[in-house]
Every structure is written in C-alpha cells, then in structure tokens.
Amino acid sequence: MPRVTVVIPNYNGNKYIDDCLRSLKKQTFWDFDVIVVDNASTDGSKEFVRDKWCAENTPAGSSAGTASIAGNAASNNAAHFKVELITLPENTGFANAVNVGIEATTSEYVFLLNNDAFCDEAAIERLVHIMDKKKKLFSAQAKMLQTKEPHNIDDCGDLYCALGWAFTPGKDADNKKFNRRESITSACAGAAIYRREYFDVVGLFDKEHFCYLEDVDIGYRARLKGYANVCEPTAIVYHAGSATSGSRYNAFKVELTAANNLFLIYKNMPALQILINLPLILIGILVKHAFYTRHGLGIAHIKGLRNGLKKIAQFPDHRVKFGGRELFFALRLQIELWVNCARRALSV
C-alpha cells in the first residue's frame, strides 16, 4: 500500500494531462500511486491516458485500466509508477470525481491535483513532510505558480471573510512573496494533500457543489472540527488555470460560484453567526453584483443567487450539525472572518 495516492480529476484535459503525469513521474518522493478519474471526456484524453499511461489496454466496455511503469525518480530512487484510470459515464463535476478517487484509496494521504497542474520534483516530498510533522493538519496546499508567468503566484491558499468572499491573498503577486508557511481557511484542491483518515470525521467533498468552492466548503468544515489547513510554500506546482471553464470570468463560473457561496454559508455557520454577518454578506453580494454587471455577467450572478437558494431548500440536511465542539470553533472562525476582511482590503 502506498503512503500517497494522487487523484487527478480529468475532463477534456488532453492538452495538459501528459505533462501533468510526466511531472509526477519525476518526483523525489516515490511511494505513491496515481488515479485518474475521467468525467466522460470527449476530447480523447481518456483514451490517451488509457493507451499511453496504462500498459495494459482496458478491454472494450470496461470502466478502468491499470498500468505499472518502471522509472527513476529525480533522486535516483527506483520508482514503481502506477496509474489507474476510472471512467465515469457522465460529467459529474469536480467534487464527485475526486470523491470517487478518494473512495478508491487506502493510502495514508490523498494528493488532489488538477489535470492542468505540473509538479516541481520535490512537491509531494515536501507536502508529505509537513503532514508527517503536524498531525492536526487536515490539508496542506502547494504554492501554485502561473505556468505562463511563473514569477507570479496563482494560488497560495484560500481565506474566507465575513463579506462572504473566498480569496487568495497572493493572487498575481510576485513569487518572492508569501514564502512562509501560513495557516489558511482552506486549501485549493487543485494541488493539495489531505489526511485520508480525517475524511471520516469531516466528510467528503459535497457533490452538490459540482465545482467551485467545494474545497473551501470542506476546508471550512475541517476547521469546525478543530483541524488546520496550511499552505506550504516550499512545495511548488505550476498551474495553467481555467483549463475546463475557459477563462477567469464567465457565466458558467459566476453562476456556480454565486450559488455555492450561499450554500456554503448556510451549511457551515450557525444561525446566530449568519445573523451577525448578514449585513456584511449583503454588502459583499452587492459589490460582487456591481463587478459582474460591469463585465456583462450580472444576469449570471442573479441566476446563481437564485440557484443557491434552491440548493438550500433542496438539501437542508447538508448543514453541519453544531455541537459544543463545532460552536467553539465557529466562534474562533468568526474572529478570523473579520480579520480576513481587513486582509482582503489590504490585498487590493
């Protein structure tokens, strides 16, 4: 049994998936397997993974293939590079795809990696090191740099604030910044390692999020259980970004983000905390709407808010059950939510 399983959700990632897998084959840490979960891709990427990275082709009609490829890690350790392909009959979204991958693992850690992300040779080794060192960690995220402009940060961990905004303070900042390990509200699941056993306490990703903010949701839930999340800046991953949605701002992304944000607030805050934050949440919604309207996406934002209310009505049982432990950590998080408002203002 490997110590780590790398789970890569793939949807039409033919442009990137080969380089993603090649970067894993060069890791200095070699005690890991790879699972690619394909979300009914139509661009040939599913067949590419099966035919190139799976030594034994999957029989017709089968849903999975396995390969073992002998190779050398960058540290000259002999690595046994194993890739498994799991195919889904339809696009079920990021959250469900990674859940399928997680449920197929028995390893100590699960490293979630986007199909358009490419790991530095020591990335997994450094993430495993910090997870071994700090047993209260639910997750540790790599510092993600922009593939086209690697001197700029793509993501260094998500912070959530009382305005109802999730943001990464280092977005587009110079790579020389944010070089200290920092606590974060949640890890970006595009390049983050998770302690497998803690999923039994926190739960898996909520598939009703489909994609966007599902990683903030699970990270927030972990914080309510008393676990921690960090960004480990010595672990580097390069990220192309928006490989599936196509751009940073588009109607698909705006609708889902707006809906999932309302759902996240409902699920993870006790009623009194929602009431306390409501004025700031409403201000946050109005500011977002003005921003999206300027970009021609105001209608998409309204649709997303409406869909968020529908999710709350449709899935009331997804709400966290607040006992004494969860209420205590919700109070601690509330202070952080206010502090993060200031951090967001300073990061503009």
Side-chain angles (χ1 to χ4, degrees):
M1 183 177 66
R3 290 200 69 203
V4 178
T5 305
V6 181
V7 174
I8 305 171
N10 178 64
Y11 177 68
N12 290 344
N14 203 35
K15 182 178 179 181
Y16 301 105
I17 191 66
D18 189 46
D19 287 336
C20 176
L21 290 168
R22 285 179 181 275
S23 75
L24 291 173
K25 196 175 179 183
K26 297 176 180 178
Q27 290 298 295
T28 54
F29 180 92
W30 56 270
D31 191 8
F32 69 92
D33 288 344
V34 181
I35 297 176
V36 176
V37 183
D38 186 84
N39 251 328
S41 294
T42 57
D43 67 340
S45 54
K46 171 179 61 180
E47 292 79 10
F48 175 82
V49 171
R50 180 195 65 199
D51 296 342
K52 177 170 182 178
W53 290 97
C54 295
E56 298 179 2
N57 292 345
T58 309
S62 177
S63 63
T66 303
S68 296
I69 304 173
N72 291 322
S75 62
N76 296 320
N77 289 319
H80 188 66
F81 194 70
K82 181 180 178 182
V83 178
E84 178 182 355
L85 173 66
I86 299 174
T87 62
L88 302 178
E90 60 184 1
N91 183 6
T92 61
F94 179 94
N96 183 70
V98 296
N99 283 349
V100 169
I102 292 167
E103 290 177 323
T105 68
T106 54
S107 54
E108 183 178 0
Y109 300 123
V110 178
F111 179 44
L112 301 185
L113 185 66
N114 278 1
N115 61 0
D116 62 342
F118 322 111
C119 295
D120 177 78
E121 292 179 353
I124 296 180
E125 179 180 4
R126 287 168 179 167
L127 290 173
V128 169
H129 174 75
I130 188 60
M131 294 295 283
D132 285 345
K133 186 177 178 182
K134 297 185 178 294
K135 301 300 183 182
K136 275 293 185 180
L137 284 182
F138 174 63
S139 69
Q141 177 193 325
K143 183 162 76 169
M144 301 172 74
L145 305 180
Q146 298 173 17
T147 301
K148 292 183 179 179
E149 297 183 77
H151 54 281
N152 288 340
I153 295 172
D154 181 70
D155 197 298
C156 60
D158 290 319
L159 301 178
Y160 199 76
C161 72
L163 288 163
W165 296 352
F167 65 98
T168 180
K171 186 71 175 180
D172 298 326
D174 191 282
N175 180 30
K176 295 178 182 178
K177 299 182 179 179
F178 297 94
N179 284 324
R180 294 187 305 170
R181 185 182 307 128
E182 292 194 15
S183 295
I184 52 180
T185 307
S186 60
C188 171
I193 194 167
Y194 295 81
R195 199 178 304 274
R196 177 69 173 80
E197 65 178 298
Y198 289 175
F199 285 117
D200 295 334
V201 179
V202 176
L204 294 174
F205 289 80
D206 190 335
K207 66 180 182 179
E208 300 306 331
H209 278 265
F210 193 79
C211 60
Y212 301 122
L213 297 183
E214 73 292 318
D215 47 7
V216 178
D217 171 62
I218 199 169
Y220 201 104
R221 278 188 276 136
R223 295 290 304 278
L224 289 172
K225 296 294 183 181
Y227 301 128
N229 306 298
V230 298
C231 177
E232 177 49 60
T234 64
I236 301 295
V237 170
Y238 301 90
H239 185 220
S242 301
T244 298
S245 65
S247 61
R248 183 177 292 189
Y249 302 116
N250 56 71
F252 172 78
K253 185 173 183 178
V254 169
E255 281 189 38
L256 272 174
T257 303
N260 289 343
N261 193 47
L262 287 185
F263 195 38
L264 184 155
I265 291 169
Y266 163 77
K267 289 169 54 183
N268 295 304
M269 292 186 187
L272 180 59
Q273 188 177 26
I274 293 176
L275 186 62
I276 290 171
N277 290 318
L278 189 57
L280 287 174
I281 292 171
L282 291 175
I283 291 171
I285 289 173
L286 290 173
V287 171
K288 285 278 189 182
H289 185 70
F291 174 83
Y292 290 133
T293 299
R294 287 200 302 272
H295 287 78
L297 295 166
I299 294 176
H301 187 236
I302 292 295
K303 287 181 179 179
L305 295 173
R306 186 171 64 240
N307 291 338
L309 295 175
K310 288 180 180 178
K311 282 189 179 184
I312 292 171
Q314 190 174 359
F315 305 105
D317 58 328
H318 287 220
R319 184 170 167 80
V320 169
K321 292 179 175 59
F322 287 95
R325 180 185 189 187
E326 289 78 15
L327 289 171
F328 172 76
F329 286 109
L331 177 61
R332 289 184 58 177
L333 271 167
Q334 181 57 47
I335 298 170
E336 190 174 312
L337 296 179
W338 285 326
V339 171
N340 287 342
C341 284
R343 294 191 67 178
R344 180 65 181 87
L346 291 172
S347 67
V348 174

